[in-house]
Amino acid sequence: MSTPKAECENLMNTALPFSEQMLQKHGEFFPYGAALKENGEIASVAGYDGRELLPSSDIIRLLKQGFAKGAKSGEYKATALVYDVKVTLPSSGKKSNAIAVSLNHRENYSVVVFFTYQLNKGQLTFGEVFAQKGEADVFPSK
């Protein structure tokens, strides 16, 4: 039997490569998501409201709404929201770009994992990886 942490890590490892590809090809990426369905299938999730150029904050809001709906209906066991962010490194206090992966599981597991990176002439180099407690804002509290 898989633990919520293991299921979320598997979901993250499936979702993460797309952001790496987009950073290397385009130097940026729009927020996107993935969801672990009840049957074990992983689905890619995107947010769109008809506008051509959505701000990242609007895409994140749409994704969270979709995740919450899928969680409430019992369709999703776990969700991963992937977005680009600036973070302060816990080790040095310096600022860095990072890929953030907000993971939520119906079994009261919520964490955000940050993969710091530098992008230089299309070359993506990862640095410090750290995590913090998530907002637990997808699945209803038990």
Side-chain angles (χ1 to χ4, degrees), residues 21-55:
Q21 292 168 5
M22 290 297 101
L23 283 169
Q24 288 175 330
K25 285 183 181 176
H26 305 289
E28 65 182 352
F29 67 93
F30 287 104
Y32 65 94
L36 177 62
K37 292 184 168 188
E38 187 61 41
N39 65 6
E41 178 184 320
I42 294 177
S44 295
V45 182
Y48 180 67
D49 70 357
R51 290 184 285 164
E52 191 62 34
L53 294 172
L54 257 64

Side-chain angles (χ1 to χ4, degrees), residues 41-131:
E41 178 184 320
I42 294 177
S44 295
V45 182
Y48 180 67
D49 70 357
R51 290 184 285 164
E52 191 62 34
L53 294 172
L54 257 64
S56 290
S57 59
D58 287 359
I59 297 171
I60 290 169
R61 180 182 45 76
L62 288 168
L63 288 165
K64 283 185 176 185
Q65 287 172 350
F67 285 158
K69 185 177 176 185
K72 187 176 181 180
S73 73
E75 182 182 2
Y76 298 154
K77 284 175 72 172
T79 61
L81 173 62
V82 185
Y83 55 99
D84 202 7
V85 68
K86 279 249 195 251
V87 294
T88 301
L89 300 175
S91 61
S92 66
K94 292 182 179 175
K95 294 275 189 194
S96 175
N97 290 318
I99 299 169
V101 185
S102 176
L103 299 163
N104 285 281
H105 194 283
R106 69 178 176 198
E107 298 298 326
N108 294 329
Y109 180 83
S110 182
V111 65
V112 182
V113 183
F114 298 95
F115 297 86
T116 64
Y117 71 86
Q118 289 186 333
L119 191 60
N120 188 7
K121 297 178 184 168
Q123 280 298 110
L124 184 62
T125 308
F126 285 100
E128 206 172 311
V129 177
F130 62 97

